[in-house]
Amino acid sequence: MDDYAGLSDTELAAVLRQYNIPHGPVVGSTRKLYEKKIFEYETQRRRLSPPSSSAASFSYRFSDLNSASVDSDMYDLPKKEDALLYQSKGYNDDYYEESYLTTRTYGEPDSAGQSRGFRQSATSLPDADTFHHQVRDDNLLSSSEEECKDRERPMYGRDSAYQSITHYRPVSASRSSLGLSYYPTSSSTSSASSSSSSPSWLTRRAIRPEKHAPGAGLGHDRQVPLWGQLLLFLVFAIFLFFVYYFMQAEEGSPF
Amino acid sequence: MTTSQKHRDFVAEPMGEKPVGSLAGTGEVLGKKLEERGCDKAYVVPGQFLVLKKDEYLFREWLKSRDCFGYAFL
């Protein structure tokens, strides 16, 4: 890792660009971080024996994604996924399509749903970073709501891997609350996403009201509706009153 | 996730010239270390996030390294 210290800032930036690593300015505070990043990237490349380094890193991330989805029951994924997503940021959409095909931790009820999600995932990746945030948002939300029942939502492969992280620590300070009210804030944080990604977002939003419409008839998470409860209460109160009245009558002068 | 009193104090108003030790999560030791290394004001932290082009992963690495301007590695 120390051989990178010999490079000047501009040379380091050139190396980062060569490896297609998205980066910011190489400044005193950031230099060490980018050196470490290049070091990690190169160790990944060296780990694999295949001749072409690009194919090697491709398959490495591939298998890593699979292992990430397999280990979805374990909750130590965030770091690995961060690194994976970060590396895969600069790569083309073909890689993403293949990864979604293979990472299916949840059994899909119908393959149509999967293919729908697949097509949506292929189209909604202009900006992988915001997508990454979106997926996290969706998963935080979906994990809090009916997770198993909500099959209609487009199931991304990576989405299912994230869904198991129900206790995932919020990624940033803004993600501290879960619930429907969270939609507006999350959509504002992902405002940089392009229009093609927002339809998938909107379709998700549309599904929720549908799901809640039949639920609204039940009346706000109660088994018995509110008016029914009041009615029952009144009936019970009247019944008790009558019992008391008749008991009083018995205690009184019997006829 | 309930916020601590320190966090609430910090977000109650613009950070202005608040010292870095007033950030929720920075205790005395860390605050002093950061001040020694040059990050004596709270606004340096979001500044660093922006310099890293809002890359969360790198930002977290930077926070963990507890080193502000690369001094520890010189």
Side-chain angles (χ1 to χ4, degrees), chain A residues 23-25 28-30 32-34 36-37 40 79 82 86 133 168 171 175-176, chain B residues 1 48 51-58 60-62 64-65 67-70 73:
Chain A
H23 62 279
S29 51
T30 62
K32 186 62 184 171
L33 296 167
Y34 287 129
K36 197 157 77 153
K37 192 164 249 324
E40 284 170 4
K79 206 57 202 301
D82 266 341
Y86 190 86
H133 293 319
Y168 178 53
V171 175
R175 302 192 181 143
S176 51
Chain B
M1 192 166 86
Q48 183 64 25
V51 167
L52 290 168
K53 275 211 184 162
K54 300 191 187 175
D55 183 336
E56 280 193 47
Y57 178 67
L58 278 183
R60 272 195 248 171
E61 292 290 313
W62 177 78
K64 279 194 289 193
S65 70
D67 144 85
C68 264
F69 298 125
F73 307 109

Side-chain angles (χ1 to χ4, degrees), chain A residues 2 63 91 119 121 175 181 217-218 228:
Chain A
D2 294 326
S63 59
Y91 295 93
R119 257 180 275 113
S121 72
R175 302 192 181 143
S181 62
L218 283 179

Side-chain angles (χ1 to χ4, degrees), chain A residues 37-219:
Chain A
K37 192 164 249 324
I38 294 181
F39 177 67
E40 284 170 4
Y41 182 84
E42 302 233 318
T43 46
Q44 272 178 30
R45 277 200 342 189
R46 265 187 248 117
R47 262 193 234 174
L48 308 154
S49 44
S52 76
S53 60
S54 61
S57 49
F58 188 102
S59 57
Y60 168 77
R61 280 191 320 276
F62 211 54
S63 59
D64 216 359
L65 261 182
N66 281 333
S67 66
S69 62
V70 162
D71 295 342
S72 63
D73 291 330
M74 300 178 356
Y75 297 146
D76 61 344
L77 280 179
K79 206 57 202 301
K80 210 202 289 189
E81 285 162 349
D82 266 341
L84 281 173
L85 257 175
Y86 190 86
Q87 288 151 19
S88 56
K89 244 201 235 179
Y91 295 93
N92 54 13
D93 292 355
D94 294 335
Y95 161 68
Y96 260 101
E97 291 179 1
E98 295 209 37
S99 72
Y100 281 117
L101 270 176
T102 56
T103 56
R104 294 174 54 187
T105 55
Y106 285 81
E108 297 291 341
D110 49 330
S111 59
Q114 169 73 5
S115 57
R116 186 168 20 111
F118 166 76
R119 257 180 275 113
Q120 279 187 340
S121 72
T123 54
S124 64
L125 293 172
D127 190 354
D129 192 26
T130 57
F131 175 69
H132 169 62
H133 293 319
Q134 277 183 358
V135 166
R136 285 189 188 274
D137 286 340
D138 293 337
N139 286 301
L140 285 176
L141 286 158
S142 65
S143 61
S144 66
E145 315 253 344
E146 52 274 3
E147 186 177 331
C148 303
K149 290 186 273 178
D150 211 356
R151 292 291 189 177
E152 277 200 306
R153 306 172 73 231
M155 292 280 282
Y156 298 71
R158 189 188 285 278
D159 191 23
S160 56
Y162 278 114
Q163 270 186 352
S164 64
I165 311 173
T166 56
H167 307 299
Y168 178 53
R169 208 174 12 93
V171 175
S172 64
S174 65
R175 302 192 181 143
S176 51
S177 62
L178 303 173
L180 270 180
S181 62
Y182 196 59
Y183 265 115
T185 55
S186 59
S187 58
S188 64
T189 54
S190 57
S191 58
S193 61
S194 69
S195 59
S196 62
S197 54
S198 49
S200 66
W201 185 247
L202 287 174
T203 53
R204 287 175 175 234
R205 292 179 80 161
I207 287 170
R208 283 198 176 281
E210 288 171 23
K211 284 274 176 186
H212 270 281
L218 283 179

Side-chain angles (χ1 to χ4, degrees), chain B:
Chain B
M1 192 166 86
T2 56
T3 53
S4 62
Q5 185 58 41
K6 199 170 186 186
H7 180 268
R8 283 195 289 261
D9 288 341
F10 188 76
V11 300
E13 50 178 11
M15 62 175 129
E17 299 293 317
K18 282 186 191 164
V20 71
S22 65
L23 281 171
T26 50
E28 289 215 18
V29 174
L30 180 60
K32 219 182 311 175
K33 261 202 212 137
L34 288 171
E35 285 184 17
E36 283 168 19
R37 304 239 170 88
C39 302
D40 55 341
K41 293 290 182 184
Y43 55 70
V44 174
V45 177
Q48 183 64 25
F49 180 60
L50 294 173
V51 167
L52 290 168
K53 275 211 184 162
K54 300 191 187 175
D55 183 336
E56 280 193 47
Y57 178 67
L58 278 183
F59 181 61
R60 272 195 248 171
E61 292 290 313
W62 177 78
L63 281 175
K64 279 194 289 193
S65 70
R66 290 202 218 162
D67 144 85
C68 264
F69 298 125
Y71 292 153
F73 307 109
L74 286 178

